[in-house]
Amino acid sequence: MNNNYNLSCIYNKDTKGPSVTIKIEGELNGTTVEFFEQEVKHIFLKQPQDIFLDLTEVTIIVSSAIGSLLLLQDYVTQKKYKFEISAVNDKVRNILVMMGLDYLMVL
């Protein structure tokens, strides 16, 4: 694991079905993006469920990380689950909006 990156999970069970909020802290860069993608897939494969990302503590997000978000969104939604960004800081929000990816954000 890279010391510029941390991932934590909050599992939710309610009447709408199971979901997990994944909080990312630090950098989503060329080094950490592979860990991020593998960990999210592992969480989803362990128990398919809606996935919500909390990116409020992300300090850097590079284009490969944005590509990874799109791949993960496709992977999860093909299996009929939600994949959404539920919280984001202004810096990351502006990048996603500039790239036309604000539809991923449900705030």
Side-chain angles (χ1 to χ4, degrees):
M1 182 83 63
N2 187 299
N3 62 1
N4 293 327
Y5 162 86
N6 186 41
L7 181 145
S8 60
C9 298
I10 300 170
Y11 293 91
N12 310 300
K13 295 188 183 216
D14 62 22
T15 56
K16 296 179 184 176
S19 68
V20 61
T21 299
I22 301 172
K23 182 173 180 126
I24 311 299
E25 298 175 6
E27 300 176 6
L28 279 177
N29 59 35
T31 303
T32 60
V33 70
E34 187 176 334
F35 292 112
F36 164 70
E37 190 171 331
Q38 288 174 358
E39 288 179 295
V40 172
K41 280 186 179 178
H42 175 76
I43 291 165
F44 184 75
L45 288 173
K46 191 169 138 182
Q47 179 184 356
Q49 57 198 309
D50 293 338
I51 294 180
F52 300 97
L53 298 180
D54 179 343
L55 304 180
T56 54
E57 299 298 322
V58 171
T59 56
I60 293 173
I61 188 166
V62 298
S63 60
S64 59
I66 293 169
S68 183
L69 288 174
L70 293 172
L71 288 171
L72 289 166
Q73 188 241 0
D74 187 52
Y75 181 78
V76 171
T77 58
Q78 278 186 7
K79 304 207 181 326
K80 308 297 183 214
Y81 290 92
K82 292 180 185 176
F83 182 87
E84 299 172 350
I85 297 171
S86 58
V88 64
N89 64 46
D90 288 340
K91 182 179 178 181
V92 173
R93 177 195 317 264
N94 290 338
I95 292 169
L96 293 173
V97 168
M98 283 189 309
M99 298 189 78
L101 301 174
D102 47 320
Y103 68 90
L104 287 174
M105 297 183 284
V106 177
L107 307 173

